[in-house]
Amino acid sequence: MSCHLILPAAGVGRRFGSEHPKQYTLVAGKSVMEWTLSAFQSLPFIDQIILVLAEGDSLGQNIAANYPSVTTVNGGDERYGSVLNGLHWLQQRVSADDWVMVHDVARPCVSTADVEKLYHYCQSSGDGAVLATPVTDTTKRRLSDTKVETLDRSTLWAVQTPQCFRLGELHTALQRCLAQSVPVTDEASAIELNEGNVGLVEGSRRNIKLTHADDLAIVELFLTSKETET
């Protein structure tokens, strides 16, 4: 069964004092987007990469031109809209039973071994799944300014990307959430709300999302150490 990758990259939020969105922040000589694309470019089971860009994003188009397996489509106002645009493009060309991975472009440290593990889990089980790590810190829910509740961390996982589901199932789930105005924070949320199965595949804690300025130094350390290993 074929597998395709959707990379939502239509966000325009400015971070870290840069004039560009965070996917174009330079880390160890390359943009975050280039690091992420390179991580998936070499995987033999990824048939094609759908890079979802803001309309008129010439910088993203120029980067995409250097990757033969990358096709660009226009994004939506929100992440789920961008993912849906990528799914619409795929639906016209491939089977609804094909696998689709969705990955945060701002997670450039993703391990190809973890992506392979996720793919093989989905292939063998027939169910969709996400990369995740068990929560190890004591975790509390804030009830008020002075009251908290300690949660049972043995059942808690921190979810990452990529997240992998069948094209038709994910498209239907996201469309239903959109029609019902139900907010979803990731693809698995939409599958859960539509009573689908979601497996958890343990991934590396290095697969962090570039969100805050402090993350830059950590991401650079992880990326340069990967370069040294190879």
Side-chain angles (χ1 to χ4, degrees), residues 1-2 4 87 90-100 165-172:
M1 196 68 64
S2 296
H4 317 280
L87 293 172
L90 282 170
Q91 273 200 319
Q92 300 170 30
R93 296 164 174 83
V94 302
S95 168
D97 286 333
D98 280 5
W99 294 105
V100 176
F165 299 99
R166 293 194 188 275
L167 168 60
E169 179 186 28
L170 181 56
H171 183 267
T172 297

Side-chain angles (χ1 to χ4, degrees), residues 39 108-111 206 221-230:
C109 303
V110 64
S111 160
R206 288 187 169 216
L221 175 64
F222 288 161
L223 289 174
T224 53
S225 64
K226 280 173 61 176
E227 290 284 280
T228 301
E229 290 170 5
T230 56

Side-chain angles (χ1 to χ4, degrees), residues 22 30 32 59 82 89 100 109 130 163 198 201 204:
K22 62 182 176 181
K30 293 196 295 189
V32 170
L59 186 54
S82 291
W89 188 91
V100 176
C109 303
V130 302
Q163 304 191 0
V198 180
V201 176
S204 168

Side-chain angles (χ1 to χ4, degrees), residues 9-224:
V12 295
R14 303 299 192 253
R15 298 295 181 100
F16 322 122
S18 169
E19 62 178 307
H20 299 300
K22 62 182 176 181
Q23 59 264 33
Y24 300 122
T25 300
L26 292 179
V27 183
K30 293 196 295 189
S31 70
V32 170
M33 180 182 286
E34 289 172 292
W35 282 109
T36 303
L37 284 170
S38 296
F40 287 92
Q41 183 73 30
S42 62
L43 291 171
F45 55 84
I46 299 291
D47 283 12
Q48 53 194 326
I49 298 173
I50 314 305
L51 180 62
V52 189
L53 300 172
E55 188 171 357
D57 183 353
S58 59
L59 186 54
Q61 294 285 355
N62 290 339
I63 290 173
N66 296 317
Y67 296 86
S69 64
V70 173
T71 297
T72 61
V73 301
N74 288 334
D77 294 334
E78 304 290 342
R79 175 197 168 91
Y80 70 87
S82 291
V83 174
L84 273 172
N85 285 1
L87 293 172
H88 289 325
W89 188 91
L90 282 170
Q91 273 200 319
Q92 300 170 30
R93 296 164 174 83
V94 302
S95 168
D97 286 333
D98 280 5
W99 294 105
V100 176
M101 289 188 179
V102 182
H103 184 66
D104 297 324
V105 73
R107 290 185 186 269
C109 303
V110 64
S111 160
T112 54
D114 284 350
V115 179
E116 290 173 350
K117 184 164 60 170
L118 174 66
Y119 174 68
H120 292 309
Y121 173 93
C122 293
Q123 285 280 78
S124 61
S125 70
D127 289 326
V130 302
L131 285 182
T133 57
V135 171
T136 56
D137 292 333
T138 297
T139 303
K140 297 184 184 295
R141 186 201 313 275
R142 183 177 184 179
L143 303 176
S144 70
D145 288 345
T146 57
K147 298 292 184 182
V148 297
E149 172 190 9
T150 302
L151 303 179
D152 178 8
R153 67 184 178 190
S154 68
T155 65
L156 299 178
W157 289 67
V159 173
Q160 304 175 341
T161 65
Q163 304 191 0
C164 185
F165 299 99
R166 293 194 188 275
L167 168 60
E169 179 186 28
L170 181 56
H171 183 267
T172 297
L174 285 172
Q175 287 280 46
R176 285 177 179 170
C177 289
L178 179 62
Q180 297 169 17
S181 300
V182 177
V184 292
T185 56
D186 67 350
E187 291 66 50
S189 299
I191 299 294
E192 294 161 35
L193 290 167
N194 285 274
E195 301 184 352
N197 294 332
V198 180
L200 295 174
V201 176
E202 187 167 355
S204 168
R205 297 184 187 279
R206 288 187 169 216
N207 186 18
I208 68 170
K209 186 176 182 180
L210 183 58
T211 305
H212 305 290
D214 289 349
D215 299 331
L216 273 172
I218 302 170
V219 166
E220 182 166 9
L221 175 64
F222 288 161
L223 289 174
T224 53

